[in-house]
Amino acid sequence: KNQYIPFRDRYAADMPYLKPRFMINGGDLELVPLPPDNYIEKIFSNADLVQWLKKTDGFYSDYEIFKRFGLMPLSSGLMYIYKKARNLYRILYGDPEGEKILEMLMEKFVDSAGKHNTAVIFLSLPDLNITEPARWRKLLPDRYKIRLEKLRSKGFEILDAREIFWKSGKPPRRLFVHDNRHLTPLGNSLVATELKGLLAEHLSYSATAD
């Protein structure tokens, strides 16, 4: 649902880039158009890019809410409570539309790779809260596990980084940098080692099959 990263997470100011977004239209995926290059080049001198994203970014409303409520202590507290409630709703009921788009994108990856006689291994990356959930969160549905099992049941091969982290025995806070999302060198090393072994298995199997 997001195109411009800071709209989803205002602290991601070090990643002010645009990413592809897809929507379901008529039962198929449709790429949401990106703004013209000159909009991006003039981002600090006019509001063209913001006005464009108002129509195409599903998180633009978060930006509007922040402008209205995020600058004063009391209103920012209310905004914080609203976001927590929204996140709780997502944990309880999931995100059917987003999960459907994800599944369709994965199918297209696999189909496209298959035409070139290539296999696809997906990597599922949790954040710190998913890797080391708070005590109260353990009482809620494990949406990460539910999504992973559903996708695997569809035939997708997925390497689960959370399982790797749990098996490593390393303190989860050593595996993530300050944003609690991106991995430290240690976290990346654990995933890379597991991925290397999985790729070796695939290459060994391919050689035997040939």
Side-chain angles (χ1 to χ4, degrees), residues 55-117:
K55 298 176 292 184
T56 63
D57 196 307
F59 279 75
Y60 181 84
S61 59
D62 281 29
Y63 171 61
E64 283 290 320
I65 290 171
F66 174 75
K67 286 198 300 180
R68 293 175 179 272
F69 303 107
L71 303 177
M72 300 297 289
L74 179 59
S75 59
S76 63
L78 294 173
M79 183 182 73
Y80 175 81
I81 293 173
Y82 162 75
K83 287 193 171 184
K84 285 294 183 181
R86 186 178 63 181
N87 188 51
L88 177 60
Y89 181 90
R90 181 184 59 81
I91 293 174
L92 289 172
Y93 300 104
D95 178 14
E97 180 186 1
E99 291 174 6
K100 181 61 178 176
I101 292 174
L102 173 63
E103 183 181 330
M104 292 174 71
L105 281 170
M106 292 172 71
E107 287 175 351
K108 285 189 177 293
F109 267 110
V110 172
D111 290 345
S112 179
K115 293 175 182 177
H116 296 84
N117 198 31

Side-chain angles (χ1 to χ4, degrees), residues 2-19:
N2 177 230
Q3 271 195 315
Y4 185 55
I5 304 297
F7 279 179
R8 181 175 62 83
D9 181 0
R10 65 188 178 91
Y11 295 105
D14 56 339
M15 296 187 293
Y17 61 83
L18 297 162
K19 61 186 182 65

Side-chain angles (χ1 to χ4, degrees), residues 177-193:
V177 297
H178 62 89
D179 66 1
N180 294 340
R181 286 197 182 98
H182 295 89
L183 300 178
T184 62
L186 175 59
N188 277 311
S189 177
L190 290 172
V191 174
T193 299

Side-chain angles (χ1 to χ4, degrees), residues 34-49:
L34 287 171
D37 289 343
N38 64 310
Y39 281 19
I40 302 170
E41 294 167 359
K42 299 176 180 178
I43 186 172
F44 296 113
S45 59
N46 63 52
D48 287 343
L49 178 59

